[in-house]
Amino acid sequence: MPNLLLIMLLAAFPALSTDMYLPALPTLQRLWGASVAEVNLSLLFFFLCFSLFLLIHGPLSDRYGRKPVLVTGILLFMTGCLLCAASRSITQLVLARMVQATGAAGAAALALALAKDLYSGLKRQKVLAYIGVIVPLCPMLAPMLGGLLLRVVSWRAIFLVQCVLALPALYGVLRLKEPPFERTSGGPLAMLRRYRVLLGNKPYMVLALSFSLMSAGFFSYIGGSADIFITGFGLSEQAYALFFGFNALGLMLGSLLASRLCVGMSPSALINVTLAGLGCGGAAMLVTGGGGPWGFALPMFAVSLFLGMNRPISNNMILDTVQRDVGAASAVMTFANFLVGGVCMEIVSLGLAPKPLLIGLLTLAGTVVPLAALFLLGHPRRVR
């Protein structure tokens, strides 16, 4: 149980790093006279830096162990939080967020690796589903906490609270007994060569890359939701936080359903159902997304629900295609997911089309690509 709690804490780092300060984005726009796109650079560069360092932390953990990489990452994250709180301009905030991202990547990259190290088979699938139930509590509660802090203290306090919330994870890692796994050998070049092995694993690469696109609509929602609800629909920061929490509730309920359905329903059937649900949610967004808060929130709830159902099953399917270099494989999966996220969040902030329309289109794209990948692969074989 302590290991499961630690994995859940580590998996929550990306949401902790981002969702708590989303209600402050309009405040930062006014404070520094910045545009939506400029303020969203603090999201974009976070996810770009986060994604890059995932690829570094993963093979480092395969070579030197999970624990030292995790300790270093959490300490870097806490340093980044303090730098964010001290920022005096959007440029300083973006740079501080990059430091924060460097550390958060260590936690996020190794959450899946630890799940692979410590659990197997159906138990791992259920553990991933339980993680999916708990982790969405962070995006449910974080914007609410951020909105509350904005009412009583400065936006800077949001980052100080993030620093404090990282302490339990640091304590858990310090007490962690290094799990047994097959370590790699050699220096940096040897570690990089392990990625060539992963690139040659066709089932792994096709599934990891295609399923990363499934989150396109969800991440574009994260990047555009504050502007949609607060600027577009005229809601308060606190009302926005409640709608954001409603969306995260869908993600959590989806993972809870997955933990129940995975016992009596085949993974392929579950994936087909969830992808069909995602497509319906994206189509509904195109029709009702611009019609008011509930017209936007309800289709997005459906998207989050089916995404939450799909993630534990698809992640387990991808992890089953690798036996070595699990840290690197976990890093590539998370890298692809958040790289897609960073790009989609910036796309939705550019004003190319109404934001609900873009979110709906990106959701549909993230449904079609995984379906095509599954069709091309047939039934992915487990690589031994």
Side-chain angles (χ1 to χ4, degrees), residues 122 125 257-275 306 309 313:
L122 182 60
Q125 186 169 299
L257 284 172
S259 70
R260 299 293 183 265
L261 294 174
C262 69
V263 176
M265 195 172 179
S266 70
S268 59
L270 264 175
I271 284 179
N272 289 336
V273 168
T274 55
L275 288 174
F306 288 105
M309 287 179 64
I313 313 303

Side-chain angles (χ1 to χ4, degrees), residues 220-221 224-234 289 296 348 355-356 359:
S220 60
Y221 167 80
S225 58
D227 186 61
I228 291 170
F229 281 112
I230 297 174
T231 305
F233 297 143
F296 176 70
V348 82
K355 290 180 174 61
I359 292 171

Side-chain angles (χ1 to χ4, degrees), residues 56-87:
I56 296 173
H57 291 307
L60 280 177
S61 75
D62 287 332
R63 173 68 177 87
Y64 298 107
R66 314 296 188 213
K67 191 168 180 176
V69 175
L70 284 170
V71 170
T72 303
I74 294 172
L75 290 175
L76 276 171
F77 173 81
M78 295 172 70
T79 301
C81 291
L82 297 176
L83 292 173
C84 286
S87 297

